[in-house]
Amino acid sequence: MSETTAGHPKHQFHLVDPSPWPLFSSLSAGVLAGGAVLGMHEHGWWVAIIGFLLVLFCMFNWWRDVIKEAVVQHHHTPIVQLGLRYGMTLFISSEVMFFVAFFWAFFSSSLYPVGGVWPPKGIVPFDPFHLPFLNTLILLLSGTTVTWAHHSLIEGDRKGLLQGLGITVLLGLTFTCLQAIEYSDALFHFDGNIFGATFFMATGFHGFHVIVGTLFLAVCWIRAYKGQFKPDHHFGFEAAAWYWHFVDVVWLFLFLGVYVWGGHGIVPPTE
């Protein structure tokens, strides 16, 4: 029996149609993970590249279907949006625990260092008030611009919405570029020492989240340009904004804990 009458839902709930994307996404993620393992063992990265492209393909089609359900089929009623908010909240909570593991590894290694020295001898940490501080200012500014965009949407200001989102995307790209420059100037590496391993895992995984968040907001800009967001119906943008604020907060902990506290009192080794 059809869920809709004249293009509108008969009830407040959404009975999701059968979709191939959960299964295909799982298989694609498996190919990506297996390919990454092969690549790390010097068997080539072509399997990982194929898996990555498959994941992108599944993501595009799955999100396209979700947008169609919301914009065309009008399935995202208030009660459905509430469920989506619960889902996004749980997802961000799981991401928080992921970062807790990285912070735990870093602080455990720094509070009880092997040999009683932290960072290990020969490690020259970054100056926290150089590029890391600039990136902190960039992310804090991006948090204000995405909030500006959200308030503009609620007030029906389309120009402010597009400007705020556009600036946020540019700030996200700037952050990523500066972090790439920072990594290229690093005087330590990922392997061979616990400082480099925990540092690059924590900051690198955060950098990956910045890239994902930037893509989310870029898609939101395109949808906003097409007029798909309404003041009372814009969960897609709201979820992206939540994710971006989460990225901001995690970076503040990284900056204070890993860059400032983690490198406190370190004197570069003499030749």
Side-chain angles (χ1 to χ4, degrees):
M1 184 172 62
S2 175
E3 282 189 71
T4 61
T5 301
H8 295 279
K10 294 179 179 178
H11 48 72
Q12 291 293 304
F13 302 94
H14 179 204
L15 305 179
V16 182
D17 294 330
S19 172
W21 305 123
L23 176 60
F24 287 170
S25 297
S26 300
L27 295 175
S28 300
V31 173
L32 175 59
V37 171
L38 291 174
M40 293 176 188
H41 287 79
E42 300 181 354
H43 292 292
W45 290 92
W46 63 272
V47 176
I49 294 173
I50 292 175
F52 180 71
L53 294 176
L54 289 173
V55 168
L56 291 180
F57 175 78
C58 292
M59 290 169 62
F60 175 83
N61 285 280
W62 198 347
W63 288 340
R64 179 203 60 189
D65 291 349
V66 173
I67 293 172
K68 181 180 178 181
E69 291 171 356
V71 178
V72 179
Q73 299 173 340
H74 306 288
H75 285 319
H76 288 187
T77 61
I79 195 170
V80 172
Q81 292 184 55
L82 179 62
L84 293 173
R85 287 185 172 88
Y86 285 148
M88 191 65 188
T89 301
L90 291 173
F91 169 71
I92 292 178
S93 298
S94 70
E95 293 285 278
V96 169
M97 299 312 297
F98 206 102
F99 277 101
V100 165
F102 290 136
F103 279 109
W104 189 292
F106 183 86
F107 286 117
S108 176
S109 302
S110 59
L111 292 172
Y112 306 100
V114 176
V117 179
W118 184 263
K121 291 182 180 180
I123 297 296
V124 181
F126 289 107
D127 178 2
F129 297 102
H130 188 231
L131 283 181
F133 184 69
L134 178 58
N135 264 345
T136 301
L137 296 179
I138 289 173
L139 273 192
L140 289 176
L141 179 59
S142 72
T144 63
T145 55
V146 77
T147 302
W148 165 34
H150 191 197
H151 281 282
S152 298
L153 173 58
I154 294 175
E155 297 296 326
D157 180 6
R158 184 173 182 271
K159 181 179 179 181
L161 167 63
L162 293 174
Q163 288 179 342
L165 271 176
I167 294 174
T168 306
V169 171
L170 291 177
L171 290 172
L173 293 173
T174 303
F175 177 95
T176 300
C177 291
L178 290 178
Q179 190 167 43
I181 294 173
E182 179 186 75
Y183 280 4
S184 67
D185 294 335
L187 299 178
F188 53 90
H189 303 286
F190 178 85
D191 56 348
N193 63 87
I194 188 62
F195 182 89
T198 53
F199 174 87
F200 283 115
M201 282 300 297
T203 59
F205 198 70
H206 174 269
F208 170 75
H209 279 68
V210 171
I211 294 173
V212 172
T214 303
L215 290 174
F216 282 173
L217 293 172
V219 172
C220 286
W221 189 93
I222 295 172
R223 294 189 61 194
Y225 182 80
K226 292 183 176 181
Q228 295 183 356
F229 293 133
K230 308 298 180 185
D232 58 344
H233 196 282
H234 55 269
F235 174 74
F237 172 72
E238 195 173 1
W242 288 3
Y243 187 87
W244 194 253
H245 288 308
F246 158 72
V247 168
D248 287 347
V249 173
V250 170
W251 176 257
L252 289 178
F253 281 99
L254 284 171
F255 176 72
L256 296 175
V258 175
Y259 285 96
V260 178
W261 185 88
H264 177 69
I266 302 302
V267 178
T270 57
E271 296 294 336

